[in-house]
Amino acid sequence: ATAYTLSASQGNKQKFYNVLSRFKDGWQYNDIDGSITGTKGDILYKMYYSADKNAVDIYKALQNLKGKTVAMALDADSHTVKCTYENGHFALPFEDAADFPKANMNMEGSVERTFCGDYLVAAIKQAEFATANEELRPIMNGIHFDFLEEGMISVASDGHKLAKAINKAITLELTDGVVCDGFTLPKKPAHILINILNGFGGDITLRNNDKCVVVHNNDFTLATRLIEGHYPNYNAVIPNDNNIMATVEKAAFVSALK
């Protein structure tokens, strides 16, 4: 068994996940649609807290111990994490990393772009509220991205409302002039990217073809399958012959809408 000791206080949440990260050199989470891997403890915290039930269960149990010191032992024979404290103990199961499924993403014919991770977070946030929840048209349930001369476009629509955001800092010049069809990112990996990259500030590399997309930097890699299908022509529903424009104060406009 491998043992670690830490305090169970609320203030040591980050330390707890840093300890978990020492159980192996890296960590990985997979599901049927994609995978995410990483190395740093802070990213481990964000992923485990949103995606891994066992780690959340351990943390919730530690919260109830009100600052007591807890010895955690990883027992490979019984596949349990045993936690012992002053007047009690508990254990939770874990799975052998050797049995962990490996993601198989075929990135043949992919196009690669490198830009600030905050740009991707902003693009997702500006469009995600307009996504649909339709079983018959799953393509409308994601956020569509296009990389054009005018910039990186993120768009979403549920048929009643449409959101379109343009980042003019990311143009074809940043992609060496390589033109690739846009892609539609599912909501689940989009939310994971927001959790990881929010406030990150550094560059990320995005690779995509018509089947998969991979987003990575030195600390994590997210790979996911894309939503298949042709995204509707969103520009067709945006009026382009309207010559009436109005400029209003943002606060007053928001207040009127409420």
Side-chain angles (χ1 to χ4, degrees):
T2 304
Y4 301 96
T5 301
L6 69 157
S7 169
S9 63
Q10 171 75 17
N12 278 328
K13 177 170 62 175
Q14 186 62 61
K15 183 178 179 182
F16 163 64
Y17 285 105
N18 288 340
V19 169
L20 280 183
S21 71
R22 293 169 57 194
F23 282 164
K24 50 182 178 175
D25 294 335
W27 54 270
Q28 183 172 7
Y29 167 74
N30 281 4
D31 64 17
I32 193 172
D33 294 316
S35 70
I36 182 165
T37 59
T39 55
K40 294 185 90 173
D42 55 346
I43 297 177
L44 176 72
Y45 148 66
K46 293 177 181 177
M47 276 308 303
Y48 266 123
Y49 204 71
S50 62
D52 190 291
K53 182 178 184 297
N54 284 345
V56 175
D57 286 345
I58 296 174
Y59 178 61
K60 287 181 177 179
L62 292 177
Q63 279 185 301
N64 295 327
L65 299 181
K66 299 180 180 179
K68 295 180 181 179
T69 299
V70 178
M72 298 176 61
L74 183 67
D75 193 326
D77 295 330
S78 62
H79 282 211
T80 56
V81 178
K82 297 180 179 180
C83 302
T84 304
Y85 52 98
E86 182 180 1
N87 56 350
H89 62 87
F90 63 92
L92 290 171
F94 72 89
E95 299 296 330
D96 192 338
D99 299 329
F100 210 75
K102 304 299 182 182
N104 183 19
M105 298 290 172
N106 184 359
M107 298 306 297
E108 182 179 354
S110 63
V111 175
E112 182 175 299
R113 307 171 176 88
T114 299
F115 52 88
C116 179
D118 288 344
Y119 291 165
L120 184 58
V121 171
I124 294 172
K125 286 184 175 181
Q126 289 169 338
E128 67 167 341
F129 73 92
T131 56
N133 290 291
E134 295 189 18
E135 293 183 3
L136 298 180
R137 292 198 302 168
I139 192 70
M140 306 303 295
N141 298 339
I143 302 166
H144 185 75
F145 285 85
D146 278 322
F147 292 84
L148 306 174
E149 289 187 6
E150 58 184 303
M152 178 181 72
I153 297 175
S154 60
V155 62
S157 176
D158 62 1
H160 301 284
K161 58 183 177 291
L162 181 145
K164 177 184 175 183
I166 304 176
N167 187 325
K168 297 182 179 180
I170 306 173
T171 63
L172 287 178
E173 285 73 23
L174 293 181
T175 63
D176 298 326
V178 177
V179 179
C180 181
D181 289 338
F183 62 88
T184 305
L185 183 67
K187 277 186 282 191
K188 180 179 177 180
H191 291 160
I192 291 174
L193 284 170
I194 289 176
N195 288 335
I196 291 177
L197 296 176
N198 197 21
F200 173 71
D203 285 348
I204 53 98
T205 297
L206 184 150
R207 296 174 56 206
N208 78 279
N209 54 21
D210 59 346
K211 299 292 184 183
C212 309
V213 63
V214 175
V215 180
H216 69 90
N217 62 11
N218 292 332
D219 300 321
F220 83 97
T221 298
L222 181 144
T224 183
R225 292 183 177 87
L226 299 171
I227 303 177
E228 295 186 11
H230 178 70
Y231 202 85
N233 182 6
Y234 48 86
N235 288 319
V237 300
I238 301 176
N240 55 16
D241 57 351
N242 191 344
N243 59 0
I244 300 175
M245 299 183 64
T247 302
V248 297
E249 184 183 3
K250 178 182 175 181
F253 184 60
V254 171
S255 177
L257 291 176
K258 290 180 178 180

